[in-house]
Amino acid sequence: MKIINFFFLLFLLPTLLLSREINIDKLIDKATKEHKHLFIFLHWTDCVYCQEMIMFTLESEKIQKIVKKDFVYEHINTAYKDTVKYKDFNGTAKEFVKYIGFGYPTSVFYDQNKSIAELFPGVYNEDEFAVVLKYISSESYKKMEYDDYAKKMGIKEKE
């Protein structure tokens, strides 16, 4: 019986340790206090595109420097048992992805009004994503569409 309990705890413990509560409203409050935007990256462990975005874009020194300076950053991995709270939503990470209406990978940016400022689904290379981050941090999203901003910054339209 002790062996069964040991194996039960062995498999249950990682799930409990990986489970966290992500309160987006509180993260937006923190970002607002710091004069930043909230950046949430939605991904899934077994998603090849998500891993590509993490390894080649989000982990680059250039992108990390911009994110640290201008954003409060959080990731939500839908493979985990995280609970997400945002306005009237309270559910799992997988349910949250359905709630906002996009899959993964998706980069979600929030403004100080606790609204989604912009969503950027898909994979971006380092240079493209640097433009995305500058588009948000400069609040250009309030004045123009991203495609117009990207053209102005010399980034060709994604196919």
Side-chain angles (χ1 to χ4, degrees), residues 51-63:
Q51 295 309 314
E52 180 181 337
M53 182 72 176
I54 291 167
M55 290 185 343
F56 299 112
T57 304
L58 296 177
E59 289 183 355
S60 80
E61 190 175 314
K62 176 181 179 177
I63 297 301

Side-chain angles (χ1 to χ4, degrees), residues 70-153:
D70 296 326
F71 297 90
V72 169
Y73 172 76
E74 182 63 65
H75 74 96
I76 298 176
N77 186 340
T78 60
Y80 296 165
K81 303 287 184 208
D82 295 342
T83 300
V84 178
K85 291 184 177 186
Y86 172 61
K87 294 185 179 181
D88 63 342
F89 176 84
N90 186 2
T92 66
K94 282 184 182 179
E95 292 167 339
F96 181 69
V97 169
K98 290 177 187 173
Y99 173 80
I100 65 165
F102 277 84
Y104 32 75
T106 298
S107 299
V108 186
F109 298 92
Y110 293 85
D111 62 21
Q112 291 81 4
N113 297 322
K114 297 190 177 181
S115 298
I116 293 174
E118 290 286 338
L119 289 159
F120 289 89
V123 177
Y124 292 79
N125 69 37
E126 182 181 48
D127 292 333
E128 292 168 335
F129 204 64
V131 172
V132 166
L133 294 173
K134 289 176 185 170
Y135 175 68
I136 299 298
S137 66
S138 68
E139 297 192 349
S140 293
Y141 66 90
K142 294 179 178 178
K143 303 170 202 141
M144 66 176 68
E145 295 295 318
Y146 172 74
D147 291 340
D148 296 330
Y149 182 82
K151 282 180 195 171
K152 184 178 167 182
M153 300 300 287

